[in-house]
Amino acid sequence: MEKVGILIEVKADQIKKANYGVITAARGRDRQLYAFLLDGGRADHKLTLGRYGIHKIIEIAGQEGPLEWNPATWAQAVIEAMEYFGIRTLLGLTSSQGKDLLPRIAARLDAPLVMDCIHLNLAEHTVRKPQYSGKTIATLKVQGGHCIYGVRPNAIAAQPAPCEAETVIYRTAPAPAGLTVKAIKQAMSAGVDLSEAEIIIAGGRGMENGENFKILFECAALMGAAVGASRAAVDADWVPYAMQVGQTGVTVSPKVYIACGISGSVQHFAGMKTAGLIVAINQDLTAAIIGKCDYAIVADLFEIVPRLTRKLQALDGRI
Amino acid sequence: MQIYVCVKHVPDTAAKITVKAPNQIEEAITFIMNPYDENAIEEAVRIKKRRGDAEVIAVTLGKPAAENTLRSALAMGADRGILILTEDPPDSLVTARALTVAIEQDGTPDIIFTGKESIDNAGFQTMYRLAAALDMTVVSNVAAFALEGKRVVVECQMEGGARGVIELSLPCVIGAGKGLNKPSYPTLPAIMQARRKEVKRIALDSLRIEKPSARADILELKPAVEARRAQQLKGSAEEVVRQLIRILREEARVIE
Ligand SMILES: Cc1cc2nc3c(=O)[nH]c(=O)nc-3n(C[C@H](O)[C@H](O)[C@H](O)COP(=O)(O)OP(=O)(O)OC[C@H]3O[C@@H](n4cnc5c(N)ncnc54)[C@H](O)[C@@H]3O)c2cc1C
């Protein structure tokens, strides 16, 4: 029986939905799935994780209580737990947290690591990932005593496969690592998190100013969507960098991406081309995005977005 | 104090990528310094300007053409360069070993900067491997950096715009993020001067790196298929929005 570990990410005591795609990718015949939870909070995640096929939930904690966030000690704790439970394959998300933990773990284990996987075949040790801003797809084969994979959030659809999960508490006291987390500065809440969102509505230079992003936030709130932006909008200081989608911003894979007043540069596409559906609202028929999307609305975004908001409000009222 | 900065010569983001062989692209395109590496060089040069006693050494592993990126780093203010030459760029494990050995043979790093990721193959791991091999502390996606005596205080970009304030001991490895600084473009005299700065050339083979048993090999590289059939929604604004709602509800099933 092969054991596969999955590093689970939690936000506000809830398992992030994107984890379920990772668990789906990890499943296989004769495979035991171990979920590593470091900040599961007080909630019991047996039912939620069991629904997707997790057999064992390993709650990693300190001797006295939860391990405070520290990438170095967390990585060390995961390595110890992997050792203890005899786990040689580890999967996680290519998220902010995953980008800090998975490479730390791989480096310490001198294990191969492929980040941003969009397809995995664990039996063959092969994965596929976008390279060159998504212009090519590479197939890689990894070999090693341990193998570590980061999965692009939402790139693999979650499929339930219920089983009975069991919880085990693993206590450890990782040595101090020369690295101390002094504080975490929270950003002004921008609503739904980009990497988690099923729907993203993003604005570009066509938004004209920061104030106008309000119409995107209003529309987003009604759909449970996150609001993103192009670099042009970020460079103009209309919205914070954390909202930038693209090559030098966040990479997202929502089910639907609605681009408003965005021309569709290669660099922007690098961050959203794996979206399920791309809708472009752009008044210029010759804009690159018009030929690269699924549905194009060739019109003034200020005519379309507020109308969409009103229609969604009407739907909301009806329910 | 010695500050090493690892830089990478990568295809321009706007360049058309043509696949030639499983692990090869057509290279007659524009190459640039990896964008985040510019932030890395900039930060190192700023430290040097503030302290006076720092030497900034840019290191790259690549084909001979990678010297262009090394020269850009020198034009931005690095003192000298190290070019590890290979015709067959290796995987992340070997790359990190090569950088480690080249740096160790050259001097004693107090700080090593890298970009937080390379935009060609987006490995996200070189800085962590360097740190593990050299027994240094490491943080990545750094948006603010301050050197205070023997300690370094950084702010790391976290999810949703949050920032972790982290203190770490020297020597350390820092993965530069975009928000770290605004790289200044080199002046013409600086570019001219960069041509005369010292670049040490080392053949990858001469570093005698033990082949790690662990590896990640590219089996195949394929152009990404653009499978979207752009369809224009037609009609009045009202009609178009109605169609969009239908698509969101029935096709994408993201709204009720
Ligand atoms: C190294 C590098 C990295 C980069 N990284 C990124 C990145 O991470 N993310 C990113 O986005 N970009 C990135 N860029 C920048 C990228 O090349 C483009 O410049 C940028 O994406 C353009 O943003 P935009 O589409 O909003 O603006 P523009 O290209 O100016 O497009 C604006 C669009 O809005 C439309 N428009 C205007 N008004 C309206 C209206 N009222 N209604 C409807 N449509 C309207 C116009 O027709 C136009 O098509 C990067 C560039 C480089 C060189």
Side-chain angles (χ1 to χ4, degrees):
Chain A
M1 188 80 85
E2 188 197 355
K3 296 174 179 173
V4 174
I6 298 147
L7 198 52
I8 300 289
E9 285 188 30
V10 176
K11 189 173 178 182
D13 284 357
Q14 299 272 323
I15 306 282
K16 289 189 188 177
K17 274 198 217 153
N19 290 293
Y20 301 131
V22 181
I23 301 173
T24 304
R27 285 199 298 253
R29 203 187 306 168
D30 286 336
R31 231 176 260 156
Q32 274 245 309
L33 302 190
Y34 284 62
F36 290 128
L37 262 178
L38 286 111
D39 53 356
R42 287 170 194 284
D44 185 354
H45 302 292
K46 254 192 237 155
L47 284 177
T48 36
L49 289 172
R51 189 175 309 140
Y52 286 90
I54 290 290
H55 302 98
K56 275 203 165 61
I57 300 170
I58 312 299
E59 285 187 13
I60 303 180
Q63 298 301 343
E64 250 100 72
L67 283 176
E68 294 269 316
W69 164 246
N70 177 319
T73 46
W74 276 36
Q76 183 55 32
V78 174
I79 291 173
E80 285 170 19
M82 285 172 73
E83 211 108 293
Y84 183 84
F85 293 99
I87 292 168
R88 297 181 158 274
T89 304
L90 180 71
L91 279 74
L93 285 163
T94 307
S95 56
S96 296
Q97 196 184 87
K99 283 182 205 164
D100 205 358
L101 290 177
L102 298 172
R104 272 181 205 278
I105 295 166
R108 296 291 297 274
L109 293 170
D110 201 19
L113 161 73
V114 187
M115 295 294 276
D116 224 8
C117 300
I118 54 170
H119 182 267
L120 292 97
N121 182 339
L122 292 187
E124 305 272 330
H125 296 266
T126 58
V127 294
R128 287 205 294 269
K129 71 169 288 183
Q131 290 191 335
Y132 303 105
S133 328
K135 284 176 249 180
T136 64
I137 306 292
T139 304
L140 288 100
K141 186 175 181 76
V142 298
Q143 295 170 54
H146 293 89
C147 295
I148 322 264
Y149 308 93
V151 179
R152 176 177 287 201
N154 306 320
I156 294 167
Q159 308 279 348
C163 77
E164 193 77 34
E166 173 198 353
T167 305
V168 181
I169 298 183
Y170 176 78
R171 289 193 193 279
T172 165
L179 191 154
T180 321
V181 179
K182 292 283 179 196
I184 291 174
K185 292 193 200 166
Q186 292 302 338
M188 284 184 310
S189 169
V192 184
D193 187 35
L194 275 176
S195 58
E196 273 283 279
E198 288 206 331
I199 314 176
I200 292 173
I201 182 161
R205 202 191 304 277
M207 295 306 295
E208 290 172 3
N209 56 47
E211 180 69 11
N212 285 340
F213 266 81
K214 220 173 59 199
I215 66 170
L216 299 188
F217 279 103
E218 280 165 8
C219 185
L222 291 162
M223 301 187 286
V227 180
S230 75
R231 174 161 156 187
V234 171
D235 282 355
D237 277 336
W238 298 342
V239 289
Y241 170 59
M243 281 170 64
Q244 181 176 319
V245 172
Q247 176 92 68
T248 47
V250 265
T251 304
V252 296
S253 273
K255 286 187 178 153
V256 177
Y257 190 89
I258 307 174
C260 309
I262 292 177
S263 63
S265 65
V266 185
Q267 293 91 353
H268 191 76
F269 260 75
M272 41 63 92
K273 71 194 296 177
T274 51
L277 262 187
I278 299 173
V279 179
I281 307 176
N282 195 309
Q283 61 194 10
D284 178 7
L285 185 63
T286 66
I289 198 163
I290 301 294
K292 296 201 286 188
C293 66
D294 297 288
Y295 294 105
I297 299 177
V298 183
D300 182 354
L301 73 95
F302 296 104
E303 291 283 316
I304 303 297
V305 177
R307 272 201 173 75
L308 176 60
T309 304
R310 280 200 296 277
K311 274 247 155 34
L312 290 166
Q313 272 162 345
L315 285 180
D316 232 20
R318 206 195 53 197
I319 292 163
Chain B
M1 123 176 283
Q2 286 190 305
I3 305 174
Y4 287 82
V5 187
C6 301
V7 294
K8 190 172 186 187
H9 194 54
V10 299
D12 188 347
T13 46
K16 182 170 162 53
I17 302 292
T18 315
V19 178
K20 276 190 6 190
N23 189 11
Q24 224 187 353
I25 58 159
E26 171 54 56
E27 287 178 1
I29 50 172
T30 311
F31 276 69
I32 54 169
M33 183 192 300
N34 183 45
Y36 302 103
D37 303 354
E38 294 185 350
N39 300 98
I41 289 277
E42 177 72 24
E43 200 63 24
V45 171
R46 286 187 190 189
I47 297 173
K48 178 185 150 80
K49 283 193 181 137
R50 271 198 304 272
R51 295 184 44 118
D53 70 335
E55 184 190 24
V56 177
I57 305 115
V59 192
T60 194
L61 179 152
K63 299 188 181 181
E67 183 170 340
N68 293 324
T69 278
L70 216 45
R71 294 283 169 201
S72 304
L74 297 175
M76 287 178 73
D79 297 297
R80 55 187 179 86
I82 302 174
L83 174 56
I84 308 166
L85 284 162
T86 174
E87 279 304 324
D88 190 15
D91 68 11
S92 307
L93 291 120
V94 175
T95 300
R97 277 172 165 74
L99 292 168
T100 301
V101 174
I103 291 172
E104 273 184 319
Q105 288 182 354
D106 186 80
T108 316
D110 295 285
I111 306 175
I112 301 177
F113 281 100
T114 71
K116 76 159 171 99
E117 69 177 280
S118 59
I119 60 167
D120 51 357
N121 25 49
F124 299 97
Q125 50 196 271
T126 305
M127 50 295 202
Y128 295 98
R129 293 196 192 277
L130 286 171
L134 291 160
D135 200 20
M136 291 163 82
T137 53
V138 56
V139 283
S140 192
N141 207 356
V142 170
F145 174 94
L147 177 60
E148 297 162 4
K150 277 256 146 217
R151 16 164 257 159
V152 164
V153 179
V154 297
E155 288 185 16
C156 296
Q157 199 85 52
M158 295 169 69
E159 192 177 275
R163 284 180 174 200
V165 182
I166 295 180
E167 184 181 310
L168 56 164
S169 53
L170 284 177
C172 64
V173 184
I174 305 286
K178 188 184 165 235
L180 184 55
N181 50 45
K182 285 223 179 349
S184 46
Y185 289 96
T187 58
L188 193 60
I191 295 170
M192 301 300 286
Q193 217 187 340
R195 293 194 191 151
R196 292 190 302 273
K197 287 185 180 170
E198 178 201 334
V199 169
K200 179 156 91 182
R201 288 179 186 70
I202 310 170
L204 175 59
D205 293 339
S206 74
L207 291 174
R208 302 194 183 288
I209 290 153
E210 234 180 280
K211 270 240 156 8
S213 58
R215 51 196 290 169
D217 297 305
I218 298 184
L219 298 182
E220 188 183 44
L221 197 59
K222 272 190 173 165
V225 272
E226 308 282 353
R228 301 189 196 270
R229 281 172 310 174
Q231 188 183 327
Q232 197 178 325
L233 303 184
K234 295 224 164 101
S236 66
E238 206 55 38
E239 284 159 10
V240 164
V241 169
R242 204 173 305 132
Q243 293 173 59
L244 179 55
I245 296 265
R246 186 197 57 75
I247 290 162
L248 294 177
R249 192 197 275 147
E250 291 166 24
E251 191 178 329
R253 295 168 191 254
V254 286
I255 58 171
E256 297 277 306

